[in-house]
Amino acid sequence: MKITALTLCLLAFGSMTIQAAELNAPAPSCRVQTLTDQAGVDPAAFPGKVVYLDFWASWCIPCAKSFPVLDQWHSDLSGRGFEVIAINLDEERQEALDFLQQHPVRFTIGADPAGKCPRLYAVRGMPTSYLIDRQGRIREVHEGFKTSDAAGLRARIESLLSEP
């Protein structure tokens, strides 16, 4: 596993008091550039949609397992108001691009090499995901990813999609 300065920084934040995302609170606004162009994306700026916000890094083995699942959810559910936003935390852009060559996806990929978003969301490890409801509130935080997690997560997404 590659340990970067960002990773060490994230570990250090575990012992500090910071303004962090909390369950049932509004998702913090955190605009980042997309990985492949100059466009920006803010996971908190999708009113009326259910958002699966995923923080990931190229060296993260569970991230590689989650991407095909997230891509399938995006394909199946985007027509019902579902968005997947995955924010990469690699310091080197090329490492993220190499990962995506091996694990191509159709959902939005943001890049945050400075680590401002994981500080706002109090990310403690990779991957960490936040399920945001149509009103922009964080309804669930999921740390890690195992294939066995997929069915339960999808059920919770479907449940949020059926809420007004």
Side-chain angles (χ1 to χ4, degrees), residues 34-138:
T34 58
L35 186 64
T36 56
D37 58 36
Q38 297 300 311
V41 63
D42 182 346
F46 287 86
K49 294 197 175 198
V50 172
V51 176
Y52 189 91
L53 171 60
D54 186 64
F55 289 97
W56 67 283
S58 63
W59 48 261
C60 168
I61 294 169
C63 298
K65 293 179 182 179
S66 72
F67 266 46
V69 174
L70 300 180
D71 198 49
Q72 187 63 54
W73 292 347
H74 170 77
S75 177
D76 293 349
L77 303 172
S78 62
R80 293 178 51 200
F82 178 68
E83 293 286 337
V84 175
I85 308 295
I87 298 181
N88 176 265
L89 304 179
D90 285 305
E91 292 177 336
E92 298 296 328
R93 181 176 177 266
Q94 191 58 50
E95 292 173 357
L97 293 172
D98 291 346
F99 176 96
L100 292 171
Q101 283 288 322
Q102 295 176 22
H103 310 281
V105 295
R106 295 163 285 185
F107 52 81
T108 302
I109 303 288
D112 186 9
K116 72 176 182 176
C117 291
R119 285 190 298 276
L120 287 172
Y121 281 84
V123 172
R124 296 186 304 194
M126 298 296 131
T128 297
S129 301
Y130 297 80
L131 193 50
I132 303 167
D133 69 14
R134 292 183 189 274
Q135 287 73 42
R137 295 172 304 190
I138 296 172

Side-chain angles (χ1 to χ4, degrees), residues 3-22:
I3 296 184
T4 64
L6 175 61
T7 305
L8 294 173
C9 182
L10 291 174
L11 293 173
F13 279 110
S15 63
M16 296 178 65
T17 302
I18 58 174
Q19 182 77 19
E22 295 181 11

